[in-house]
Amino acid sequence: MSTKVEKDQVSGTDTTGHEWDGIKELNTPLPSWWVYVFWITVIWSVGYWVVYPSWPTANDYLKGMFGTTNRTELHETMASVAAERAPYMERLAALDVSEIANDSELLNFSMAGGKAVFADNCAPCHGTGGSGNPGFPSLQDDAWLWGGTLDAINQTLHVGVRWDANEDTRFNDMPAFGRDELLERDQIDDVVQYVLSFTDRATDAAAADRGAVVFEENCASCHGDDAKGIQDLGAPNLTDAIWLYGGSKETITETVMNSRRGVMPAWEGRLDEETIKMLTVYVHSLGGGQ
Amino acid sequence: MAMSTLQQPDIEPKNVPHIVDEGDYDEVPLYKKRDKVYPKRVSGRFRNLKWFALIALLGIYWVVPWLRWDRGPSAPDQAVLIDMDLGRAYFFFIEIWPQEVYYITGILIMAAVGLFLATSLFGRIWCGYACPQTVWTDLFMLVERYIQGDRNARVRLDKSKWTLEKIWKISATHLAWIVISMATGGAFVLYFHDAPTVMVDIFTANATFGTYVTIAFLTGSTYLLAGWAREQVCTYMCPWPRFQSAMLDDESMIVTYESWRGETRGPIKRKNLMRGEVPETGHCIDCHACVNVCPTGIDIRDGLQMECIGCGLCIDACNEMMDKVGFPRDLVRFDSVQNSQLRAQGKATRVRIIRPRTIIYAVLLVLVASVMMFGLANRSVLELNVLRDRNPLFVALSDGDVRNGYTLKVLNKEQSEKTYVLSLEGIDATDFQIIGLTPNQDGTYDLDVAPDRVGSFRVFVAADPQTLDGKSTPFEFTVTDKETGNTETYDTVFAGPENDR
């Protein structure tokens, strides 16, 4: 390297000797404050390695002085949230759902908490707002298969529907009248015409009349003589405008032929009691609660 | 350092430029070190005005948080308060909620236009008299002058060796500055909480972390800006000097040097004057009194400059000297450029306040102020907001009716608990219910809202699709104050299935 140092004519500063396309690099020293800050950050980073988890070792990593990890920070944050919620949770634990719904403070707390729990656990089937999907009941309307009171909702949440792992589970079983050859095909067509006649949709009045007999013998025991359903059995009302699987002639025929068997998990044991209570109050508040 | 052998830098002696003449670029330094300004004490009309502004403005700043105002049970009894926790701003009889932040916009517009108007009339009086940077710097200079003495003493002190006297004088000055800075930062936080409470909290170490950080930050910035940066804030940091000249015209009142009268400047001999000789030089005796008192360290005789904050202290200084030598006053004066030229030509001067630009600014100011006053006078103490459920748009019920869900937000801006009656207009509802409430006899609902709070209600409305207009039926919610009859309505729609009707 050359020892001769060229001076820039304009600024009077030494150049480094580097030149690109006639442009020469000045050897301007950094401001001293800048250099000090740089060295302070270097020292700071060494301290950082010591205090916080840093270098990986063969099977492990350096833990740092205070064992700080994001995981413990998360646990601390969650613990502080839980501590804030604790007084509410205690009150939730002590009261039953109808008492909770009557306490405006707890009602708001449960609706907010229940909304989050609903989004995590229920929304995949029932939709984000509880508006339902084909085969998964809307929780916003006023039709309730197993009852829409706070207690009934609470019970359904606990035990689930056709959830084999829970011995108290909500259970009913509609026979597959076609597949299991319990009824002839024309009997099924007749009874479907009869069901359609409840809402004035039958296309064959004679078939509907014949279907009435079939209905009385095979369906009325669960759905009631007036076809308005029996909630204790989870049998839906067939005379209203709400159809879980669809109310067209084809889907009703399909239902009678092969039956339907929707399943909901029991949340007992998966969610704690207080959370189920919050969820109950939230679902009840969605608009369809009785 | 490893250097590439392929590309040896071309620094053979023959290519080294000619020997640099050090003198050439000494004239144009790339960076100029700050020349410390030592403003001299001065007295006179403008200085008195400045003292008055200093006392008044600092008084306002430190006293206002302690003014009390009855705010009922929902807020601290403080006349001027910005309550961050609750999201309310109080200014005497005015209360602003977060959604009314447009009042702040109005105040900012008025402040800007007011500044333009004042500048077009009187030059930079804001900078010279009212700007916090000026006011606090003035206060710091007062302290500095009190402890270290006037200009000459301070220059001497700075040049002298570190004696015990210098040490205590300098440290006493900085200590006093820091105390003032802490009082400045401390007073600021009082605007955001109940002043007496937070004052006790600060001294008993019970205030929030944010409070201490704010105080620390403002203490630091006050000390740095008023103690060290001073005129550099106006010259380098503040944007206002860069474009304030756009507000000025020839008739704006500014600090001017009457060069026609002052030049050629030069010293004057008293005995010549006594003999009644007419001096060959102008009235400027080149005493530098105007330069020595200038807080931004400029020479006003060089004409109007960006650094000039229009404080007029040079006028006081010059008048003092003119009185001494027996020349007429106001060689440096507060007047328009036009008048200065008219005087030079021996013509009559005039002051014209009403000019196109002042009219425009004044009209704008009155306009914005009127809009603000109208808004304030008609400010509603009751507000209703309705959020319609969109997931789903509507729910089909078992009897064939459809139902819509709404969240109602009722804003009670009064200091007492209110009961509002909620009713529906314009829809034939088959069902109307609110979660957690029971309806009145006539199907309406009573909504209780705490003072100065927002009440939130889940509302369900059902209707027969045959009675609807189709996909979207407009109707309105109405809330009525039970005591005063004050009413608010909110237009919304009821969504339903498309029908063939």
Side-chain angles (χ1 to χ4, degrees):
Chain A
M1 181 175 177
S2 171
T3 50
K4 287 170 192 142
V5 178
E6 183 190 350
K7 256 193 195 305
D8 173 60
Q9 193 183 340
V10 181
S11 63
T13 311
D14 294 345
T15 62
T16 58
H18 303 169
E19 180 179 345
W20 292 270
D21 296 340
I23 298 168
K24 291 172 184 169
E25 185 185 12
L26 294 186
N27 191 6
T28 313
L30 289 164
S32 48
W33 65 262
W34 195 97
V35 179
Y36 294 143
V37 171
F38 172 71
W39 283 114
I40 290 166
T41 57
V42 170
I43 295 163
W44 179 264
S45 74
V46 174
Y48 217 91
W49 293 339
V50 178
V51 176
Y52 285 94
S54 52
W55 297 96
T57 55
N59 304 311
D60 204 7
Y61 60 94
L62 294 178
K63 293 280 194 299
M65 272 166 69
F66 309 111
T68 315
T69 68
N70 289 359
R71 212 165 283 198
T72 53
E73 279 174 16
L74 173 73
H75 288 314
E76 279 165 19
T77 312
M78 295 306 284
S80 73
V81 171
E84 258 176 60
R85 289 161 48 120
Y88 292 101
M89 294 309 243
E90 274 170 32
R91 281 163 68 194
L92 285 184
L95 300 174
D96 68 34
V97 280
S98 54
E99 289 169 316
I100 291 165
N102 284 330
D103 179 324
S104 71
E105 196 185 3
L106 286 181
L107 175 73
N108 283 324
F109 179 80
S110 303
M111 276 164 62
K115 189 175 183 178
V117 179
F118 187 91
D120 284 348
N121 298 285
C122 318
C125 294
H126 289 287
T128 48
S131 53
N133 283 308
F136 301 98
S138 163
L139 305 176
Q140 298 196 322
D141 62 24
D142 58 346
W144 290 91
L145 294 172
W146 298 97
T149 62
L150 283 162
D151 286 332
I153 295 170
N154 195 34
Q155 172 73 6
T156 307
L157 279 167
H158 271 94
V159 301
V161 178
R162 300 186 195 92
W163 190 253
D164 296 337
N166 190 303
E167 56 187 25
D168 297 325
T169 193
R170 301 281 200 193
F171 189 86
N172 63 8
D173 204 359
M174 172 163 154
F177 289 99
R179 195 179 61 212
D180 294 343
E181 293 171 7
L182 301 172
L183 290 174
E184 300 298 325
R185 179 64 209 229
D186 53 353
Q187 285 180 300
I188 290 173
D189 290 340
D190 290 349
V191 84
V192 168
Q193 287 297 322
Y194 180 59
V195 169
L196 289 171
S197 75
F198 297 148
T199 45
D200 300 329
R201 291 183 296 155
T203 49
D204 183 343
D209 283 344
R210 291 195 299 276
V213 183
V214 183
F215 188 89
E216 202 184 315
E217 287 169 356
N218 296 282
C219 315
S221 55
C222 289
H223 289 286
D225 291 336
D226 54 1
K228 288 198 188 301
I230 298 172
Q231 221 161 50
D232 289 342
L233 302 174
N237 182 349
L238 303 179
T239 64
D240 64 17
I242 292 170
W243 294 90
L244 182 53
Y245 292 93
S248 71
K249 187 181 147 197
E250 289 71 28
T251 43
I252 295 172
T253 308
E254 165 72 21
T255 303
V256 179
M257 293 281 285
N258 296 321
S259 172
R260 308 275 188 178
R261 230 175 166 276
V263 172
M264 174 170 120
W267 295 97
E268 200 172 42
R270 295 176 162 218
L271 298 175
D272 59 42
E273 278 298 309
E274 294 80 7
T275 306
I276 293 178
K277 283 178 182 173
M278 288 198 287
L279 208 44
T280 303
V281 172
Y282 172 69
V283 169
H284 190 259
S285 78
L286 280 174
Q290 288 164 338
Chain B
M1 197 186 290
M3 185 73 73
S4 162
T5 48
L6 291 171
Q7 247 190 321
Q8 275 292 341
D10 192 10
I11 43 170
E12 292 299 315
K14 61 179 163 59
N15 287 334
V16 173
H18 70 273
I19 302 301
V20 173
D21 178 2
E22 295 282 325
D24 275 351
Y25 42 81
D26 266 5
E27 305 294 322
V28 275
L30 291 176
Y31 171 74
K32 192 163 175 287
K33 204 172 174 296
R34 179 197 178 206
D35 291 321
K36 193 173 173 187
V37 180
Y38 297 90
K40 191 172 154 60
R41 194 186 66 84
V42 66
S43 54
R45 191 168 10 135
F46 290 95
R47 181 63 259 187
N48 288 342
L49 257 173
K50 224 159 130 62
W51 286 136
F52 175 76
L54 176 95
I55 293 164
L57 293 170
L58 288 178
I60 290 170
Y61 178 69
W62 271 306
V63 169
V64 160
W66 301 96
L67 300 178
R68 302 287 93 184
W69 193 272
D70 183 19
R71 300 243 174 260
S74 57
D77 291 339
Q78 191 157 320
V80 178
L81 176 72
I82 299 166
D83 189 339
M84 290 294 190
D85 298 335
L86 201 59
R88 306 274 191 277
Y90 304 97
F91 188 81
F92 295 95
F93 60 96
I94 301 171
E95 180 186 334
I96 294 176
W97 283 41
Q99 56 270 59
E100 295 168 317
V101 79
Y102 45 77
Y103 285 121
I104 308 291
T105 314
I107 288 168
L108 289 175
I109 294 172
M110 279 170 68
V113 178
L115 185 58
F116 298 164
L117 177 63
T119 304
S120 66
L121 287 173
F122 307 116
R124 283 171 64 184
I125 50 163
W126 161 261
C127 298
Y129 294 87
C131 174
Q133 174 64 21
T134 289
V135 171
W136 260 273
T137 301
D138 220 18
L139 179 65
F140 273 44
M141 283 177 180
L142 180 70
V143 170
E144 184 180 64
R145 195 175 295 135
Y146 182 78
I147 297 173
Q148 301 179 9
D150 205 5
R151 177 181 155 87
N152 293 341
R154 292 208 304 279
V155 174
R156 228 179 303 121
L157 189 70
D158 269 6
K159 280 185 183 154
S160 72
K161 292 213 169 64
W162 281 95
T163 60
L164 211 59
E165 193 201 1
K166 181 169 177 176
I167 290 170
W168 91 254
K169 275 187 173 171
I170 299 284
S171 43
T173 308
H174 286 266
L175 194 71
W177 285 353
I178 288 168
V179 170
I180 296 171
S181 302
M182 286 168 84
T184 304
F188 187 77
V189 298
L190 301 183
Y191 285 86
F192 295 85
H193 306 276
D194 180 45
T197 315
V198 81
M199 198 71 170
V200 173
D201 285 350
I202 289 169
F203 285 109
T204 54
N206 283 323
T208 61
F209 181 68
T211 303
Y212 288 115
V213 168
T214 309
I215 294 175
F217 179 78
L218 284 166
T219 302
S221 59
T222 308
Y223 172 71
L224 211 64
L225 294 183
W228 293 89
R230 297 197 170 174
E231 83 284 350
Q232 296 175 97
V233 174
C234 314
T235 320
Y236 299 113
M237 293 163 71
C238 180
W240 179 231
R242 311 269 156 187
F243 65 92
Q244 53 88 21
S245 57
M247 279 86 221
L248 298 176
D249 59 22
D250 283 354
E251 292 182 90
S252 303
M253 303 288 280
I254 55 168
V255 179
T256 49
Y257 165 66
E258 308 248 284
S259 55
W260 60 273
R261 187 185 131 193
E263 304 296 320
T264 341
R265 63 185 85 147
I268 186 166
K269 290 199 172 61
R270 183 169 285 269
K271 59 181 178 186
N272 294 0
L273 271 183
M274 301 274 268
R275 276 192 237 123
E277 287 176 14
V278 180
E280 290 159 17
T281 51
H283 285 185
C284 176
I285 57 172
D286 208 13
C287 65
H288 280 82
C290 56
V291 180
N292 289 345
V293 299
C294 180
T296 63
I298 59 164
D299 188 342
I300 191 64
R301 297 171 299 174
D302 295 342
L304 180 63
Q305 293 147 72
M306 193 200 79
E307 292 89 341
C308 176
I309 57 170
C311 65
L313 293 187
C314 48
I315 302 176
D316 285 342
C318 187
N319 281 342
E320 209 174 309
M321 294 313 292
M322 291 295 106
D323 288 350
K324 274 185 192 162
V325 298
F327 286 146
R329 289 182 140 228
D330 291 336
L331 176 59
V332 183
R333 66 194 297 160
F334 191 66
D335 208 341
S336 67
V337 172
Q338 193 187 57
N339 280 350
S340 183
Q341 287 166 352
L342 286 173
R343 247 193 311 278
Q345 295 158 12
K347 292 180 186 162
T349 59
R350 58 172 190 174
V351 175
R352 209 155 60 101
I353 298 286
I354 300 166
R355 309 194 298 273
R357 70 174 59 220
T358 58
I359 293 169
I360 292 169
Y361 292 142
V363 166
L364 267 177
L365 198 60
V366 170
L367 209 70
V368 178
S370 318
V371 171
M372 291 270 289
M373 293 300 286
F374 181 81
L376 272 177
N378 293 289
R379 179 182 181 270
S380 161
V381 288
L382 163 65
E383 245 181 78
L384 174 66
N385 287 309
V386 176
L387 301 139
R388 215 179 65 76
D389 287 3
R390 289 188 173 79
N391 179 28
L393 283 173
F394 60 87
V395 175
L397 299 180
S398 50
D399 57 4
D401 287 355
V402 290
R403 184 171 61 197
N404 282 207
Y406 303 85
T407 302
L408 261 59
K409 303 268 184 192
V410 184
L411 282 64
N412 174 15
K413 296 183 188 173
E414 290 186 75
Q415 302 299 339
S416 53
E417 165 133 21
K418 288 282 181 186
T419 302
Y420 304 103
V421 181
L422 175 72
S423 59
L424 302 175
E425 313 280 341
I427 191 165
D428 190 9
T430 53
D431 191 30
F432 174 32
Q433 51 168 309
I434 301 180
I435 297 284
L437 296 182
T438 44
N440 298 326
Q441 297 263 306
D442 58 354
T444 61
Y445 283 86
D446 282 355
L447 312 178
D448 295 326
V449 186
D452 212 27
R453 288 290 188 280
V454 181
S456 183
F457 304 93
R458 277 290 286 154
V459 178
F460 291 107
V461 179
D464 180 350
Q466 295 307 315
T467 66
L468 300 174
D469 283 354
K471 271 163 104 175
S472 169
T473 307
F475 75 103
E476 62 191 25
F477 284 104
T478 302
V479 283
T480 309
D481 188 328
K482 259 195 166 170
E483 298 161 44
T484 64
N486 193 1
T487 295
E488 272 292 311
T489 59
Y490 194 98
D491 293 323
T492 184
V493 293
F494 186 95
E498 217 159 348
N499 57 27
D500 324 323
R501 228 164 21 107

